[in-house]
């Protein structure tokens, strides 16, 4: 697998992991009790964010480790975090109607320029 593609997938998994963390609610899961948690549909809905947290977190680590085999660690980390920041903001604005302004767009574009620059400067 191409290291840069694995890094892109790892960044996508990081964004999914962040949003699964947003919906994770241990109090809601505890309110159901262990028996009702897995027998009622509402209980499963309370467990899904935890399952997403685990699955997306492990996938993130897996793809990031593949990427670091072909990309220097400092470059991989900077690109991974930059793409995750951009992805989190784009999802937040488009799907969850988070507030934004043009200065944020400018700085996100600067992050994107940095990511592209790191990719182009690779030997």
């Amino acid at each position: 697998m191409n290291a840069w593609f694995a890094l892109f997938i790892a960044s996508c998994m990081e964004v999914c992991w962040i949003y699964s963390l947003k919906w994770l609610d241990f109090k809601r899961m505890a309110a159901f009790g262990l028996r009702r948690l897995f027998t009622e549909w509402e209980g499963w809905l309370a467990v899904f964010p935890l399952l997403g947290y685990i699955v997306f977190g492990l996938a993130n680590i897996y793809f990031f480790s593949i990427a670091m085999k072909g990309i220097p660690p400092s470059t991989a980390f900077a690109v991974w975090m930059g793409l995750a920041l951009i992805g989190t903001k784009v999802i937040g604005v488009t799907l969850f109607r988070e507030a934004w302004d043009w200065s944020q767009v400018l700085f996100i574009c600067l992050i994107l320029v940095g990511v592209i620059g790191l990719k182009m400067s690779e030997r």
Side-chain angles (χ1 to χ4, degrees):
M1 176 178 287
N2 183 340
W4 285 96
F5 181 70
L7 190 58
F8 176 76
I9 297 298
S11 296
C12 292
M13 294 296 110
E14 177 76 4
V15 171
C16 294
W17 179 82
I18 288 169
Y19 280 107
S20 69
L21 196 63
K22 176 182 173 100
W23 290 312
L24 190 59
D25 188 359
F26 287 110
K27 289 181 184 177
R28 182 177 173 204
M29 289 186 332
F32 276 97
L34 191 58
R35 181 171 293 160
R36 286 183 50 219
L37 192 62
F38 296 107
T39 58
E40 296 179 16
W41 179 247
E42 291 83 16
W44 278 106
L45 290 177
V47 172
F48 282 147
L50 178 62
L51 296 175
Y53 175 83
I54 293 167
V55 169
F56 293 130
L58 291 174
N60 178 20
I61 292 167
Y62 174 74
F63 285 108
F64 189 64
S65 68
I66 290 173
M68 285 190 23
K69 288 177 178 47
I71 302 171
S74 59
T75 302
F77 182 75
V79 171
W80 170 69
M81 189 53 58
L83 290 177
L85 287 167
I86 292 169
T88 303
K89 186 61 178 178
V90 168
I91 296 295
V93 168
T94 57
L95 295 181
F96 300 109
R97 307 288 189 238
E98 291 178 4
W100 64 277
D101 61 36
W102 289 105
S103 64
Q104 292 175 343
V105 173
L106 170 69
F107 293 121
I108 286 174
C109 288
L110 290 174
I111 293 171
L112 189 58
V113 166
V115 166
I116 292 169
L118 286 170
K119 169 68 173 120
M120 292 178 67
S121 66
E122 181 187 306
R123 293 184 180 147

